[in-house]
Each structure stands twice: as structure tokens, then as C-alpha cells.
Amino acid sequence: MAEQPEEDFSSLPLPDRIAHKNWKVRKGGYEDAAKAFAATPHESDPVFRPFILDSGLWKGAVADSNVAAQQEGINALCAFLKFGGLEACRRSRNATVSAIVEKGLSSTRAATKQSALEALLLYIELDKADPIIEDLIPSLANKQPKIIAATLSALTAIYHAYGVKIVDPKPALKSLPKAFGHADKNVRAEASNLAVELYRWLREAMKTLFWEELKPVQQQDLEKLFDAIKQEPPPKQDRLLRSQQAALASKLEEEDVVEAAEEEEDNTVEVETFDLAEPVDVLAKVPKDLYENLASTKWKERKEALEAFYEVAHVDKIKDGHFDEIIQCLAKCMKDANIAVVTVAANCVNVLAKGLRKPFSRYRSRIMSPIMERLKEKKQALADALGQALDSIFGSTGLTECLEDILEFLSHKNPQVKLETLKFLIRCLKTTRVAPSKPETKSIADAATKLLTDTSEVTRSGGAEILGTLMKIMGERAMGPYLEGLDEIRKTKIKEYFDAAIVKAKDKPKPVVAPPPKAAQPPQKRMVKKAAPGAKKPAPRASTPQQEDPPTRPAPSRGLPSKLGGLTKPGLATPGAGLKAPKKMTGPGGAPSLASPRRAVVSPTYEVEATPAPKLGRGLAGRPLGKPIPAPASPPALTVPAGMTAAERAELEELRMENDRIKRAAEELRAERSKLTSQIHELQHQNAQLIEDHTRDVLSIKAKETQLVRARSDAEAAEETVYKQQREIDRLKRELSRTMRANSPSAPPDHKDQIYRDTGVNGSNTHHYPSLERYNSSMSESRDVGFQRARSYMSSPSSEKENSGGGLDATAPLTKKQRPTTMMSTDSSSSMRPPAMKHESGSRTKDSEGGSNGEPVENWKRAAEVTSQLKARIEQMKAKQG
């Protein structure tokens, strides 16, 4: 029995063959579809339409149950993507990626794996990588280890081909800890490969997202793998997107291949920790008492407040918010008298600028000038902190924003400020990625040239380094005009810095210089176009002489019409009118040339007769003979604008003169502008100097006012103290006078001494009585301060005046209110009077008596009784007080 021939399905449409239940039919359909896609002339070919409308066809092809058909189906999908373009990619992506991961990447056939990986790379190449990565990451949580390992391998290949600039590394980095903790060794091995590939691009920045979650042993193993990569050069993107390919192709048409390659090398971007970190809301963590502590009078509290804020703000990435009040406080701290506070404030500015990056640029104008003003401090720790803060501010803004302040402080009167600003400018030029513009280059070069004549050697070397670094960016040709007036020694030094400088920005002047030749060619073409219409339109030329008559009528009055009048009267008035322009040296030939197409015989004869007529007919006429002299120069002028009329030539001359006048006016305006610009810079400098002087004067005035207020308060306090002391003195004087009245009776020296010996302090009976001055020097040992001051004033002139006449004042009787106080004070004063005071009082009493020893004895007895009474009262008072 003969075998039945197989049925031919090639006549079926491709979608029907791909959806057929027979795997051989499907396999043939995949192969024919791939050939059909490759043969299409463009992306909008009708062959793609059925597969774009029905994306389910590709899902079945990728997940085909037959491995042979599956391989051809994935190949057909790659051809569909390669030749179908962006629309084919977007329509089929959602239906195929998951199936490719589950069925294609985990296939046992190497060719199928490679085709599946190529399909994923094509999806990224045609559009973008984010949708593919979003579909791949969930597969890392699959239950089958082979699918997880295959997904990790695909991620490694994707990052190797496109790099982290095209493919976001954050999702992969966050999934690494879970992969490293998997039980399957193949999964852990693929995770290590992915970590190594990411380390090629990210270096140490990648560790911030997952490193702490790994075990110490895994960290050590990865460090060994990383050590082998550290010496390798930075990686480059191996595969370009379609958009990048188109941009590169258009660039290669305009530029040289070498320049395009150099630009591609310059586009390598270093990924930093900031790009991978998650933003942190710092404002929510700021201490509540921050502003209160920053306003404290104690520098330690201010320093501790800043340190607390530094700990909060020291993160990789800060969430944008309103930091105006904090920036204002930090700017105020830059003027703090304590260096430690300024150092911590500079560190806070540093972490804020690094954490915010571009959003920090709106605070630059408020914080940069106070920082640069504080560069006058010579302490190295503070200078380093301020320099780091300035570098972070520059990194968040750019050279254009910071240049104005830098140039202002380059001319600062403080040498330390000038030197640190110079170093900051050099760092800016070396790290900037954007070349300065022409005006900025001129400003920097002028400022650096002035520094070359500074008195300090360090400043002069810094100026040379600025010029050398700037030359590295802009090129030697662009910097040539700024080095013309320098001597050879300085040029040599600038050249040394130029050779040693390492910059990240390069100026590309070629695209700017190229347009001028293209702009110079169109005017020549326009001149040809103007000449061509003149030759193509001979008919309207009869009207052009009529239009030329008004400008040429003044010329015939000089005599040329008289020469040609007798020759041209027989009916050739119109050609003769064209010959009336010899005044401009182009008329005699111009008119015949215009009339020559119509009167080929007449015009040459008049040319011949017109030229000898002035020579033969009027040989001695001065003015007519003066005209033909420039005639030999007329033919070249006629040959250039062959198709132009006299009016057009006159208009052309006027336009040329107008052009020259405009150019001269433009040059004058440029010179005036440069002069005004220099004046503006000088005035700005003077204004800044005046503002600085004014600020310094205001600060000194405020300091003087503070001192004056303090002096006034001290004076008022002193006056109040003096007033209190005066009142105390008066009171003590009154007490003293009352005491003296109570002890008015005099006694002989023997009795008086006996009395005072009995009432001595602490019962002392010593006969040694020191002088009053020595007693006044030891008043601090007395018990009662009031009586010490009373005793010190006993020898004063006022007390002697009161005590003159034996120390008695019989005219001052005591009132009822004063008597108890007087008796109390008398008792206390008599009981506490030192021996020296008793001796002096007795001697004065004796002197006042004038040697009257004949008084009755009763007076002395009465004095002794009074003394005993005083003693008794003192004892009573002591008993009451105890």
C-alpha cells in the first residue's frame, strides 16, 4: 500500500499556518514569515498588519509546545521586531515577554535561549527598557530555580549590552539580596555574575542599596570578584538604541568619524550614589529646638544644634522642600565669632548641597557670598570645610551661575580670600562639564592676567594655572589673543599648566566656524540670478532708458550732448539718451550695449565716432577732455555687472556705501559698548567696595552703641551705689552725733581710761592704743559694717566740724522718736568702740576741756553710771536677740 502524500498547506495565509494544530505546518509558517519580513521594503508593509493586529499569534509562537517549532517561532518574532519597527514592538511586547522568560530563556536548546535573549534585546533597542525590566523582575520570585537563574542571566546580558544609563539598575539591585539567599547554587552563581556586571558600571555606589543585607561571607566573596574589575577601564555601551543609531548616523553625515567617536567617549556618565538612593524627608526630622538653639548666646549650644542638624541631613539624597529658613540660619552662622560653629555650619551646607543637587541652586545667592567672605580665616580645618561647601554648591549649579561671585572675590583686598577663591576657580574649571562661553572666557582670562602681576608668588602661579586650565578647555587658538602681551617666562609657565591640566569639558569651535563659508556663497548665486533675468528679458529694456533719464539729465549739461548732438539728430534720440552717462564712466558703453540687440549696425558706428569726436573736434577744451581720461577703466567695471542698468549700478554703489557706513557705526558701537562694559565693571567693583565699607562701618557703629549702652548702665548703677553710700554716710553721721551728745560729760584721763578699759571689746584691758589710721585699715574685721563706716568718718573734716567745741551740740535736742534709736546706738557704739577710738575720744575730751581739772567729781560719777546703764541695756538686747 503506497504512502499518502502529505497535504500542502503553503497556500494558506501565514496567520492561519502559524495558528495551525500541526506543528510542522506551524514550523513552516514561522520560517516563511521570517523570510517575508526580511523581504519587506519598509516598516509599513502590509505583511506586518495581521501580526500587529493579532498579538496572540506571537504568544503562541514563543510558547509553542514543540521545541523545534518554538525555535523557529522565536526566530520569526526576532525578524518581525527587526523589520517591523516601533509599532511591531509596542503591539506585541505585552503578550510575549512573560512567555519568553518562562518558555524561551529556560529552554534546553542553546539556540532557543539565544533567540529569546535577542528578542528581549530587540524590544529594548526599539523602544525603552523599563517595560521589559518590569516584566522580568517578577520572574525572580518564580518557584522554579531554573527560571530564576535564566532571568538573572538575561538581566546580566541586558546590562552588559546597554549599560545603566539606558537600563535602570535600581530594580535589579534591590532584588539581589533575595537571590543571594536562594537555596539553589545556580541562582546564587547568576546573582554573583549580575552583581559583578553592575559593579563594572556603578563601582562603589551600588553598595548603598543592598550591601548591608548580605552575609559577611558573601561580602568577602564579592570583594574578591570586584578586585579583578577595579583595574579595568570604564565600560562602554555595546549596543545602541534605534534612536541613538539615527542620531549617530546624522552626526556622521555632518562631522568626521573621529569626532563622533570622541563625543561618544565623552558621553560616558559616572553613576553616583545620589542617582541610586531614595530621597529622605529631612525637614520632618529637623530638631524642634534648632532655631532656638542657633539663636543662643552660648557657642556650645549653637554648635550642638548644628551638629544635630548635620546628623539628620547627612544622607545620600534629600527630598526637595522649603529650606529657606535653614539656609538663612546657616548664612548667619558664617559670621559667627567662633570658628568651631562656622566649621560645622560649612559641613551642613556641604551635605545639603550634595543631597539636594539642582534644587539647591535657588539658595546659592544667599549662602555663597557669606562662605567666600569667611575664607579669610587661615585655619586649615575651616578652610577645607568652606572649600568643600563651595565645591558642593558648584556641583549643584554650574560655572555660569557662580562665575560672577568668583570674579568679584578674585579682586578682594584680603590676600587669603583672593587665594582661596583662586583655588576654587581652578577646581571649577577642572570639574565643569560645560565649556564657558566667549564672554565668560574673556572675563576669566582678564582676571587671571591681572593676577599674574600680584605681589604674592602663590597668587601669580594660580593665575598662570587658571590660564593653562582655560586653554586646555578652549584650545590654544582661542586663548592666543589673551597671551599676546605676556613675556616668555609667563607663557612657558602657562604652557606647563596647560600640559598638566586634566579637564572634563572641551570646547568644539568647528560647528560654529563652519556656517560663515556657507553664508558667503549665496550672495554670489544671487548676483548670477540677477544677471540672468536681465539677459532673458531684452524687450523691457526700451523702458529702462526712459527710467534712467531722470538721473542722467544733470550729466548732459556738461557738454557731452553738444559733442553728440550733431551726430545723433537724424532720428536716434533714444540711443543718444543712453549715451548721456559718460559722467559715471559707464554710460558710453552702457547705452550701446543695451541697444545692441536691436540695432547691431548703428550702435557700433556711434561708438567709433563718439570716441574720436572729443579728441579731434575739441582738443583744447579742458572739461570735456578731462572726462575720457578714466575711460580705460570703464571696461572692467562693465564686465562684472553685465546685466545691470545704470540706476541699478548707482543703487548698488549707494548700498555699498551704506553698508560701509553701517559697519563703521557698528564698530563704533562695539567700542562704545566695551568701554561702557568696563565702566560698569569698575562701578560694580566700587559699589561692592562701598557696600563692604558701609557694612563694616555699620558693624563698628553698632559695637560702639553697645559699648555706650553698657557704659551708661554701669554709670547709672555706680550713681545709685554712690547715692546709697551717701545716705548711709549721712545716717552714720547722725548716729555718731547722737552718740557724742549722750557721752558729753568729760572725765579725767585716769577715770576715762578705766571706763574704756572696762568696756573694751571682748574684755581686753590692753594699754596699747593704735592710731586711728591703722584702725581704719583693719575695719573689715569689725562685726557691724555700719559702725565701721561711722568710725572711719570720725576723723573726717565734717565730723571734726560737728564735734568742735568738745564734741557737744546742745542746740540739737532729741525727739521722742529718735531717743530709743539714739540710746540703742549709744549702747552699741560704746560697747563696741575699740581701745584706739576710746583713747582718741578721751584725748579730745581732755583737750576740749582746756585743762580744767577742777570740775566736780560728780560729773565723772555720772558718766560712769551712764556707762554701766549702757552695758546693762546691751546685755538685755543680746538676751532678746539670743
Side-chain angles (χ1 to χ4, degrees), residues 471-510:
M471 186 187 297
K472 193 78 170 183
I473 297 174
M474 305 303 296
E476 297 185 45
R477 182 178 178 183
M479 291 296 295
Y482 305 110
L483 307 181
E484 289 180 355
L486 303 179
D487 52 18
E488 292 299 326
I489 298 176
R490 290 172 179 167
K491 287 183 180 179
T492 304
K493 199 165 187 178
I494 293 171
K495 184 66 176 176
E496 292 175 359
Y497 285 114
F498 166 74
D499 296 334
I502 299 175
V503 298
K504 297 182 180 179
K506 289 285 186 181
D507 185 43
K508 298 185 176 80
K510 287 187 179 179

Side-chain angles (χ1 to χ4, degrees), residues 19-20 25 41-42 61 91 112 178 216 225 237 342 372 384 389 412 432 446 456 465 532 565 598 626 747 760 807:
H20 203 275
V25 178
H42 49 76
R91 290 296 184 92
T112 304
K178 187 176 181 180
L225 297 175
Q237 185 177 345
V342 180
M372 299 186 73
D384 294 343
H412 200 276
T432 182
D446 293 343
S456 175
E465 187 173 358
R598 288 188 291 176

